Amino acid sequence: MKRTSALILAAMAAIAVFATLVHLVLVAAHVSEPAATTITGLTLRRLWATMVAVIAMASAVMGVIALARPASRFGTRSFKAIVALAAGLIAVLNGGLVVAVANGGPGSGNGVVGGAAALVLGLIGMSLGALALARSRSSLSID
């Protein structure tokens, strides 16, 4: 029971940190104010931001898998780490571009929240991929 409570508390803390980082990205880009008129539905920029956020999430998941499992049916640790680094870089660049070209805040149809989330998740995925790559290089030099 204590372990479950600790995991739930850690997950809630991670969500709070993630939301804070996304808000900080929006504030830094001066697009944190909500739009005066809200656009509903899927726009091209929202679709772009959503796809980039999915790539960023895949980067973070691949980074975690690379750290947790040295070798599996998905390849070696270094391959998974390089995939996490590449996907994270793509997500960071596209997420930053979405936020940079946005001319309105949340609700404007520009996908700024998705772009900011992709930027943060891409950085997390790149960090996990770099850590896994460093671990794979050190384990190769020991053997």
Side-chain angles (χ1 to χ4, degrees):
M1 189 67 164
K2 288 182 183 181
R3 180 181 169 147
T4 304
S5 299
L7 286 175
I8 291 171
L9 187 62
M12 290 175 62
I15 291 169
V17 168
F18 175 72
T20 302
L21 289 174
V22 168
H23 181 68
L24 288 176
V25 168
L26 291 174
V27 169
H30 302 293
V31 290
S32 62
E33 294 298 320
T37 58
T38 303
I39 297 174
T40 58
L42 188 64
T43 62
L44 285 177
R45 287 194 181 173
R46 281 183 181 162
L47 179 64
W48 179 22
T50 302
M51 294 306 296
V52 173
V54 168
I55 292 171
M57 180 60 95
S59 167
V61 168
M62 189 58 78
V64 168
I65 290 173
L67 282 174
R69 303 188 189 279
S72 66
R73 64 179 176 207
F74 295 119
T76 62
R77 176 182 278 177
S78 60
F79 174 74
K80 291 182 279 192
I82 290 170
V83 168
L85 276 169
L89 180 63
I90 290 168
V92 166
L93 292 176
N94 280 294
L97 191 60
V98 166
V99 173
V101 300
N103 53 5
S108 64
N110 289 316
V112 292
V113 176
L119 188 67
V120 172
L121 278 174
L123 286 173
I124 291 170
M126 285 179 62
S127 301
L128 291 172
L131 183 61
L133 191 61
R135 284 190 181 178
S136 72
R137 299 283 187 224
S138 67
S139 68
L140 287 176
S141 64
I142 292 173
D143 292 336

